[in-house]
Amino acid sequence: FKTLTVSGGPDILINRIKEELQIDYAFSNKLMFSEEKLQGVDVIVGSDKTIPIKDTIKMMKKQKEDIVITVDGANDIKLFDLAGLRISFNGTELINERSDSIVNKKDLREIMPIIKDKFNGWLVEKNNLNELINVSIKILGLKKRIENLFFLFPLDELSRR
């Protein structure tokens, strides 16, 4: 599986989260500095968060049914168009209405049974998913939430297990 996060936040923060959580791909807005002074922001992630990630998903040759997306706010709603499994993580009413599953606890471990159920009991053998979730709980002090967390599952490999 591959993991991907997309955030309207600054790259300095998102890159730290990417490193600590060992996320494969991270998309965020780039802060531009000159002579150690902030000069501006290169907006990579705008109001439609699907735009910066579509090419990456296409490059990975992932189909909609291979993608699990967790979101929380109405500004993330277009991301659901890309997902086979849509999870609301402490989401707004609109997100909850359009989700396949809802988690109302501030504990990312709660998404694991949902993913297990979707993939008929199969859960990533790679320890990264457990580690990702455990580290993300610790890092919530750094950033109140992981805005959009994707799990990309290669279903063709699942069928061989």
Side-chain angles (χ1 to χ4, degrees), residues 38-55:
L38 181 63
Q39 299 298 312
V41 178
D42 182 9
V43 177
I44 295 166
V45 179
S47 61
D48 183 350
K49 292 182 178 180
T50 66
I51 292 171
I53 64 172
K54 282 182 179 177
D55 287 341

Side-chain angles (χ1 to χ4, degrees), residues 104-128:
N104 283 320
K105 291 183 182 178
K106 294 188 181 204
D107 185 347
L108 278 172
R109 289 174 291 203
E110 296 291 319
I111 69 172
M112 292 175 75
I114 299 166
I115 295 169
K116 263 184 167 178
D117 186 52
K118 165 75 174 173
F119 295 101
N120 299 318
W122 183 87
L123 190 58
V124 182
E125 289 177 12
K126 199 173 168 185
N127 286 334
N128 284 13

Side-chain angles (χ1 to χ4, degrees), residues 85-143:
L85 176 60
R86 302 169 306 231
I87 302 173
S88 170
F89 183 70
N90 297 298
T92 63
E93 186 176 335
L94 176 64
I95 292 295
N96 289 346
E97 288 171 3
R98 298 200 180 162
S99 297
D100 299 310
S101 295
I102 299 170
V103 172
N104 283 320
K105 291 183 182 178
K106 294 188 181 204
D107 185 347
L108 278 172
R109 289 174 291 203
E110 296 291 319
I111 69 172
M112 292 175 75
I114 299 166
I115 295 169
K116 263 184 167 178
D117 186 52
K118 165 75 174 173
F119 295 101
N120 299 318
W122 183 87
L123 190 58
V124 182
E125 289 177 12
K126 199 173 168 185
N127 286 334
N128 284 13
L129 184 59
N130 283 326
E131 186 63 22
L132 176 76
I133 289 171
N134 289 332
V135 173
S136 69
I137 291 163
K138 293 175 192 169
I139 210 167
L140 289 177
L142 172 68
K143 186 173 183 341

Side-chain angles (χ1 to χ4, degrees), residues 5-21 23 25-29 45 139 142-143 145-147:
T5 187
V6 58
S7 172
D11 61 338
I12 293 172
L13 176 62
I14 304 309
N15 289 339
R16 180 173 172 190
I17 291 170
K18 178 182 184 271
E19 265 183 50
E20 291 200 29
L21 298 182
I23 294 172
Y25 301 92
F27 298 86
S28 58
N29 294 315
V45 179
I139 210 167
L142 172 68
K143 186 173 183 341
R145 64 197 186 302
I146 304 302
E147 287 192 29

